[in-house]
Structures are given as structure tokens and as C-alpha cells.
Amino acid sequence: MAGASAGITAGIVNMLGILPLWLYSAVLVLSFPVFIIGLFLWWMAKEGTEDIPFIGY
Amino acid sequence: MTNLAGVPYYILEFGDELVYFTPYTITLFLLALTFTIFVLISMPERQVDIAFGGDAYTTKVISVSEMRFRRFMAIACGLASMGAMVTGDIFNFTLFTAMVGITNVGIVAAVKSPHVQNAAYQYGLVALSATVPLFGGAAIYAAATGSLSMIELAKGALPAVPFVAKAFLVLGVIGEGMAPFYAAKAEMFRAPGAPYVIMCSLSSLLIFLRVIEVVMLG
Amino acid sequence: MIAQLILATLTGLLLLGIHRKVIARIQRRPGPPVWQEILHMLKFSFKSTWIPATASTVLFRGVVLVAIGIWTAAFFVMLTGGSLLVIFGIYMLHKIVEHGFGLSSGSPYGKFGGVRSVISAASEIPLFVSVAAIAIFTRSFDISDIVAYQQVHGPLMFIAFPAAVAMYIVILSKMPFGPFSIVESKELVSGYKTEHFGIWRAGLEVCNGLKTTVLLATFLMVFVGQLPILWLGAGMLLLVVSLSFACALTPMLSPFDSVTVQTLVTGLMLCYGAVLFIGVRA
């Protein structure tokens, strides 16, 4: 959720005109992947146990 | 065309040997940095081999001493590619490129597999011969323009760089691991240890991307 | 910009869904609904996920973050009219992502997908020749300058037609089910993405959505010029349908044939670039 908060904060600051555009993009580039994976990790079903890779049918 | 990859954000002057960041080089630099950090903090994977005809499988385990050596080489390769991304000096660029070639051999040289060893040997020969046009190109740059600084070249005040110098530079970089000479390198990727092996392909791609910017100057 | 980013991802996934639908209809199958790729992304994201016991965990996770990150960066570069070189640098570095996906798990299928992605590195060079050909006309790599040039001189698609064809082939080689998509061919199960399942695959789908939007929109901006948003959408749809025809009517080439064809395109593009360069010099 750090990604989301960073992105949203940067968005608000950008609207206020304090943050330059390039820094806003940089923050988004860093926070967007973290946000996506964090979101998916948060709502995904319970983790199973580790297994070896798929080795054929 | 004075500056192709954008306005430099930052120039670190250090005598004639300067370092500068443009939007293009900073993107490449950050990617090299990211993957070097991955090399630093990740453990190698264990490659799974299937015994055909049954359910059996084996995994290859990399010994600690082998892993240490290869990790060192991969980090050296990462540092060399980072240097090649940000340097503002043609000669330093060629030095870093040659170092990438050496470390690429080092990354896979410790692997105990005849295929990989053979590929690394062939790649080493190509990379070795590619350094001749590489440094030759840099020498012609210096001889024709009197400067190796990319900032000076980009200003356009110097004499034009001869086409042959640019061609040599590109040829040298291609020899370090781009398209037609990629065959040996592809065999090297049979080696286990993904974080380290990935550095081989990352470094040559990055250096190829950078040389495109370099030859468009001057 | 956050809204644009999410919209771009969904648009790309929708276009990929349309791609699948059109291929299916050409092959006289019913095909999935057009929003299937969006559902796919959501479905994978809810699934129970773990990392293979043999994997290099940091790389396994990190490469998904890098995949989304680089295409986010490419999207912003495109949006702000930045340098075309950066976008195509990112396109080339997508190879590393495929490679990392394939090798990090230890799976033999993934490994071969990754190695195939490395040997098809020849496909990227026509891209650079076409970018250089564009720069010979426009004297600049910035997308904003290229767009401005086209407002004066008309679309580059007519001025530098071979460059447009080369870039079309480059985009084709990144479309799923195409003749050049040897990295995910079915004899390798799913190629480089075999072991990335569950949320990691969902992350990859997000990256694919963004990638599709960025590549198609960049193609239109570079070769047609600045379009109003509706026309941009229509152009992207048209491009996807034409790509689907190309994908549906050609078999997947064998790895060596694929590399040979791409190398031939590279050779032709180098000739075209040389002709242009000499023409400019003369």
C-alpha cells in the first residue's frame, strides 16, 4: 500500500503545482508496479506450499 | 541535431573526463543499477532437468565458492555497464565496453558444463577481436577531432567525425555481443544462475543502446 | 496521470482481447469475449500463488516489478512527447524481462523461452534503423518534434514507408499468436511465462496491456501524427485488426526461420537506411 499512498500523494502535490512533472512521473513509475503487485498480493487467495516447476504431463 | 537523447540534466565535470545524465542515459543507468541490485541480493535458482520417460527430475545446485566468484563477476559487469551508460568520454566508453566483454566471460567461466565453456571460449575470441576496431574507432575520434569528450562533440564546433570511426565503434560493440555474434552468447545462457547470466545479455543490450547515442554525436 | 495509466492498461488488454476474438473469427471459432484479457488479469490476481521451490525468488518477483515499471516509464515518455530513443530502448530491454521471467524459475520450459528471446534479438535492429530513418527526415528524436514535423509535411507513413513497414513487423513480433512469437510457443508449454502463475501472471498481463497501448499509440503518433483521442482509438483498433489478420493467417515459424526472416528485414532496412543517408549527404 506504500505504492498507492506514494502515487496518490504525488498526484495531490502535483495538482497543487509544487512537484515538477518529471519527479511526479518518476514517483509513479516506481510506485505503480509496487501498487499493482501489492494490491494483488493483498486480495489473492491464501498461499499454498512451494512446489517444483512444471516438468511435463 | 545537437543533443539527441534530450537535454542533459546534470553534468559532473572532472577535468576532461566528465559524466553526464540525459533522460536516455539515466533510464539505461537505472536499469543497470536495478539489475545489479538484483544480483547483489538474490540467490541463484536451481535449474530443473527432466529425466525423460519417467517422473524423475534433477536439480543443479551451484556451490558456494562458484556462486561467490560469479556474483563478483556479475557485479563487476553491472558496474562496467553503469559506467558505460553515464560516461561522457569516448575512450572511457570503449574501456567499459571491453571490461563488459571480459566480465561476461568471467560470469560463465566457472560453470562446469562443456557446452557453456565452449560457448564462453568462442565468445571470448569474438570479444577479443572486437576490441581492435573498438579502440581503433576511439583513436580515430581523437585523431580527427582532437577531443574525446561527448559534450564537446555534441556542440558541433569540432571537425566532423569520419564515418569509419563511427563504423568501427559500432562494430566493436556488436562484437561484444549483438546480433550476428549472438550465437555463442545464446549458448552461454544454458548456464544455471539466472541473476548472473541475465547480466550478460543486459550489459550488451545496454552498451548497444548507448553506442547508438554516441555515434549520433559529432 | 494515474487515471491515464489505468485507462491505458485496460485499453491495451481490451485490444489484446479484440486481437484474440478476430483471430478466432478468422479461423471460424467462436473465440472468447473481447473483454476476456481483462477478466484474465483479474482472475489470475485472485488466485492462490506461490513461488517454485527452485526459483531465484528475488529475481522471480523483481522482474515482474521491472516489467510494469519500464512500460509505465515508456507510457509517460510517450505522453509527454519525450525521446523516441527512450521508448525503443525500453522496447529492447523488454527482452531482458522475458529472459528474466524464463530463467528465474529453473523450469526447463521457461529457460528455453528465455533463450529463444535472446536469439531473436535480431528483430530489434530494424527498429533502430527505422528510428534512424525517421530522424534523417525530422532531425530530432523527440516525439513532439516528430509530430510537429508531420503537421507541416504530412504523415511520415507516406514519406518513409519502408520504416513504417519495418516498425509494423517489429510490433507484429511482439503480438501473441503471431509468426514470430516463438518465446511463448506451445511446445514450450507457455514459454518464458510458464512458471509465473497467479498474481505474477496478472502483473505480466498488466505489463502486456500497457505495452500494447504504448507500441500502437507510438506507431500512430510517429507515422500518422497527432490524432484526437477518438481517432487514435480507431487507428489502434484498425492496427490491431490488421495485426490479427497477419497472426491468424500465418503459422508460427520455427525459431531459426523466425530469426532468418527478421535478419532479412534487418538487412533490407539497413540498405534503405544507407540509401537515405547517402541521399541526405548528396
Side-chain angles (χ1 to χ4, degrees):
Chain A
M1 292 303 99
S5 47
I8 291 166
T9 317
I12 294 165
V13 178
N14 185 58
M15 275 175 214
L16 295 175
I18 303 167
L19 198 67
L21 185 68
W22 67 268
L23 190 63
Y24 179 41
S25 331
V27 170
L28 275 189
V29 166
L30 289 179
S31 61
F32 185 63
V34 176
F35 165 67
I36 290 284
I37 295 296
L39 182 71
F40 290 173
L41 274 173
W42 172 63
W43 72 24
M44 78 172 192
K46 199 178 74 68
E47 276 194 63
T49 46
E50 289 184 351
D51 203 350
I52 59 152
F54 175 76
I55 57 167
Y57 298 105
Chain B
M1 280 197 276
T2 49
N3 205 311
L4 295 138
V7 185
Y9 282 135
Y10 175 67
I11 301 177
L12 176 70
E13 295 218 33
F14 190 67
D16 198 25
E17 322 253 310
L18 37 81
V19 165
Y20 72 100
F21 292 101
T22 64
Y24 185 56
T25 58
I26 207 163
T27 314
L28 303 181
F29 173 79
L30 287 177
L31 271 157
L33 185 66
T34 313
F35 277 92
T36 312
I37 292 170
F38 284 167
V39 168
L40 266 173
I41 60 177
S42 65
M43 296 297 286
E45 95 288 11
R46 285 172 290 155
Q47 263 186 0
V48 178
D49 271 348
I50 306 162
F52 279 101
D55 286 346
Y57 66 93
T58 54
T59 57
K60 291 177 194 153
V61 181
I62 300 179
S63 69
V64 175
S65 59
E66 183 189 324
M67 188 199 85
R68 283 203 181 122
F69 176 73
R70 294 179 62 196
R71 189 169 57 192
F72 166 72
M73 276 298 176
I75 292 167
C77 183
L79 290 175
S81 21
M82 276 189 261
M85 290 312 106
V86 297
T87 183
D89 183 289
I90 306 265
F91 183 66
N92 283 1
F93 174 76
T94 56
L95 270 184
F96 281 127
T97 307
M99 191 175 155
V100 162
I102 296 163
T103 48
N104 275 354
V105 177
I107 289 172
V108 291
V111 179
K112 290 174 186 62
S113 150
H115 286 295
V116 175
Q117 294 276 321
N118 205 10
Y121 177 67
Q122 287 169 359
Y123 169 73
L125 288 182
V126 174
L128 201 63
S129 29
T131 48
V132 176
L134 190 66
F135 285 105
I140 301 173
Y141 260 89
T145 64
S147 172
L148 284 166
S149 159
M150 292 180 198
I151 297 277
E152 294 295 319
L153 287 169
K155 281 178 188 159
L158 296 169
V161 181
F163 180 71
V164 66
K166 295 178 175 180
F168 270 16
L169 210 59
V170 173
L171 188 66
V173 168
I174 284 176
E176 301 289 339
M178 272 317 290
F181 301 114
Y182 226 82
K185 225 170 184 189
E187 283 289 298
M188 275 156 64
F189 298 133
R190 284 165 175 263
Y196 315 136
V197 169
I198 213 170
M199 215 62 207
C200 293
S201 63
L202 179 74
S203 57
S204 49
L205 271 185
L206 286 176
I207 285 196
F208 182 71
L209 290 173
R210 183 72 211 275
V211 81
I212 287 169
E213 192 210 345
V214 172
V215 296
M216 301 238 172
L217 301 169
Chain C
M1 293 221 296
I2 300 172
Q4 278 125 314
L5 195 58
I6 293 167
L7 193 68
T9 311
L10 294 179
T11 313
L13 287 171
L14 190 65
L15 288 171
L16 285 176
I18 294 169
H19 179 63
R20 280 184 73 175
K21 184 75 173 179
V22 173
I23 289 181
R25 293 308 298 150
I26 292 168
Q27 295 170 346
R28 308 181 75 179
R29 294 184 281 115
V34 288
W35 48 81
Q36 185 61 38
E37 293 291 319
I38 299 173
L39 297 183
H40 248 95
M41 189 262 286
L42 290 174
K43 177 191 80 178
F44 279 125
S45 77
F46 290 120
K47 288 210 163 196
S48 168
T49 308
W50 66 85
I51 292 173
T54 53
S56 162
T57 37
V58 175
L59 190 64
F60 191 91
R61 293 192 181 114
V63 84
V64 181
L65 295 177
V66 171
I68 304 175
I70 56 173
W71 286 104
T72 314
F75 179 69
F76 286 140
V77 170
M78 186 192 79
L79 214 59
T80 52
S83 170
L84 196 58
L85 267 183
V86 178
I87 291 184
F88 290 129
I90 286 171
Y91 176 92
M92 273 186 99
L93 290 163
H94 187 73
K95 279 255 113 92
I96 303 295
V97 169
E98 288 176 353
H99 193 176
F101 266 95
L103 266 72
S104 61
S105 64
S107 154
Y109 303 105
K111 182 179 80 175
F112 285 119
V115 170
R116 281 187 181 187
S117 131
V118 170
I119 62 166
S120 58
S123 66
E124 268 74 42
I125 298 177
L127 185 66
F128 271 97
V129 184
S130 62
V131 171
I134 294 164
I136 286 175
F137 287 108
T138 60
R139 318 295 294 165
S140 169
F141 277 117
D142 282 358
I143 293 180
S144 46
D145 291 347
I146 294 173
V147 166
Y149 174 87
Q150 292 183 103
Q151 277 171 348
V152 181
H153 296 87
L156 271 169
M157 190 181 279
F158 304 121
I159 303 170
F161 182 68
V165 172
M167 193 165 147
Y168 187 81
I169 291 174
V170 164
I171 294 178
L172 179 64
S173 68
K174 274 282 176 283
M175 290 305 270
F177 317 110
F180 305 114
S181 47
I182 52 172
V183 290
E184 48 195 38
S185 101
K186 286 299 163 204
E187 73 261 21
L188 301 179
V189 189
S190 297
Y192 67 94
K193 45 191 182 188
T194 303
E195 284 302 322
H196 278 73
F197 60 97
I199 65 157
W200 310 114
R201 176 67 76 86
L204 181 64
E205 295 284 329
V206 170
C207 155
N208 280 343
L210 261 178
K211 184 181 76 179
T212 311
T213 314
V214 170
L215 284 180
L216 294 177
T218 311
F219 182 88
L220 287 176
M221 283 172 96
V222 169
F223 289 108
V224 181
Q226 191 73 55
L227 296 167
I229 190 79
L230 272 179
W231 280 103
L232 188 70
M236 280 160 83
L237 195 64
L238 197 68
L239 262 181
V240 162
V241 171
S242 72
L243 285 166
S244 309
F245 269 89
C247 291
L249 300 175
T250 47
M252 190 180 289
L253 298 171
S254 78
F256 286 111
D257 291 341
S258 165
V259 173
T260 310
V261 171
Q262 287 169 339
T263 313
L264 282 176
V265 174
T266 307
L268 287 175
M269 278 313 291
L270 281 174
C271 295
Y272 173 66
V275 168
L276 272 187
F277 187 69
I278 293 165
V280 168
R281 276 278 172 97

